[in-house]
Amino acid sequence: MDLNLTNKTVIVMAASQGLGKATALEFAKEGANVVISSRNEEELQRAVDHIHEAAPSASVMYKVCDITKGDDIKNLVQSAADQYGTVDVLINNAGGPPAGGFDKFSDEEWQRAFELNLLSFVRAIREVLPHMRKQGGGHILNFASSSIKQTLDNLLLSNTFRAGIVGLAKSLSQELAEDNILINTLGPGRIATGRVESLDKIKADKVGLSYDQVKENSEKSIPMGRYGQPEEFAKQAVFLCSGANTYVTGQSLLVDGGLVKAL
């Protein structure tokens, strides 16, 4: 199947590691022009080097960007358009907010989570829309969590703002359809990333088990019997934002090995 991604310009937010980095790599393998961002320039350079090792002919550039700052996002999108002429795909991604229940968080912590996990998505979409409208279409994909289908214990901030992402995408799918801009939400289940490892260690400390015991118990709850790999998630992201997807929009999909049983 030809995914029609050669020379398409893709921005991947928060892509110096984890799911963002894995997704940037899969786009690069398909011949896309890839622009990655995060706050840490050293990690970004390492990510670019890693992508070039796996896809030597790939066109990849990075831009330091704090996604809680509107001007940084504006500069990121403009840099991508200046370098490659337009923006065809936006991957909205952000690190997860702190774990904890309702009594743990102050107004300031709620505000930080809002700016990181929802407002950053709004701002990035706002910046890419003129480019996509001008060229007659595009794809936007928001990374969220399996909590968009079933809430997760001790992750109140994530549960709240991931649900907001779904509402945003569903509403925009109605508004942007006439512009041939497709927008979807993709939620990872238990994918083997640093974020999931960190959450498993927090749970291990809380319940008095070893990390390995917590991970083993978690894997038993997954019908596939294992954690997913970042590249397995990334391949689904690439398909949804490729020329092979011309009609799926406004949807919320999970890559979770069958973990979530809710309809």
Side-chain angles (χ1 to χ4, degrees):
M1 179 184 295
D2 182 5
L3 297 182
N4 192 27
L5 284 167
T6 302
N7 293 325
K8 299 295 185 181
T9 301
V10 180
I11 296 176
V12 186
M13 311 291 279
S16 63
Q17 57 186 334
L19 297 180
K21 178 182 172 183
T23 301
L25 174 56
E26 292 302 322
F27 275 112
K29 288 178 178 178
E30 294 295 330
N33 303 317
V34 180
V35 182
I36 64 174
S37 75
S38 84
R39 291 176 296 178
N40 189 309
E41 186 166 10
E42 290 184 3
E43 289 185 355
L44 282 170
Q45 185 59 65
R46 284 195 291 270
V48 168
D49 292 343
H50 175 76
I51 292 170
H52 277 145
E53 288 175 6
S57 62
S59 178
V60 187
M61 63 174 278
Y62 72 78
K63 180 77 172 176
V64 176
C65 176
D66 181 343
I67 61 174
T68 65
K69 297 179 179 178
D71 286 344
D72 278 19
I73 293 175
K74 186 185 295 287
N75 291 335
L76 167 66
V77 174
Q78 190 59 54
S79 294
D82 289 345
Q83 179 69 24
Y84 296 116
T86 190
V87 177
D88 299 284
V89 175
L90 169 66
I91 302 294
N92 264 325
N93 183 34
F102 186 79
D103 291 333
K104 178 177 179 179
F105 300 114
S106 65
D107 282 2
E108 290 75 19
E109 289 166 315
W110 275 99
Q111 184 66 31
R112 281 197 295 271
F114 165 65
E115 291 177 355
L116 176 67
N117 294 110
L118 184 54
L119 186 57
S120 66
F121 287 34
V122 172
R123 286 168 165 165
I125 292 168
R126 183 187 294 137
E127 294 303 321
V128 302
L129 284 184
H131 301 283
M132 293 182 177
R133 284 175 168 143
K134 183 178 179 180
Q135 69 182 9
H139 288 85
I140 300 169
L141 185 62
N142 299 322
F143 286 1
S145 162
S146 63
S147 66
I148 62 177
K149 300 289 187 179
Q150 182 173 288
T151 57
L152 299 171
D153 292 344
N154 204 44
L155 287 175
L156 177 66
L157 294 178
S158 180
N159 292 338
T160 301
F161 293 112
R162 308 301 194 188
I165 290 169
V166 173
L168 173 68
K170 193 67 175 180
S171 298
L172 284 179
S173 70
Q174 310 297 304
E175 294 186 27
L176 300 178
E178 65 181 17
D179 297 310
N180 196 34
I181 298 172
L182 284 65
I183 178 168
N184 293 289
T185 303
L186 194 62
R190 308 295 291 177
I191 308 294
T193 64
R195 165 73 170 174
V196 169
E197 181 179 351
S198 174
L199 291 174
D200 281 349
K201 288 178 178 178
I202 290 172
K203 184 175 182 179
D205 290 340
K206 185 176 181 179
V207 300
L209 296 175
S210 71
Y211 164 75
D212 288 339
Q213 287 174 309
V214 167
K215 184 173 184 289
E216 181 179 351
N217 290 341
S218 182
E219 288 176 328
K220 288 178 180 177
S221 71
I222 302 170
M224 296 277 302
R226 62 177 178 84
Y227 284 3
Q229 294 302 307
E231 59 268 25
E232 292 179 295
F233 178 88
K235 289 178 187 297
Q236 305 310 310
V238 169
F239 169 77
L240 285 170
C241 293
S242 74
N245 174 28
T246 57
Y247 204 59
V248 177
T249 190
Q251 302 307 304
S252 302
L253 309 172
L254 298 186
V255 181
D256 72 342
L259 172 64
V260 173
K261 299 174 179 63
L263 294 175

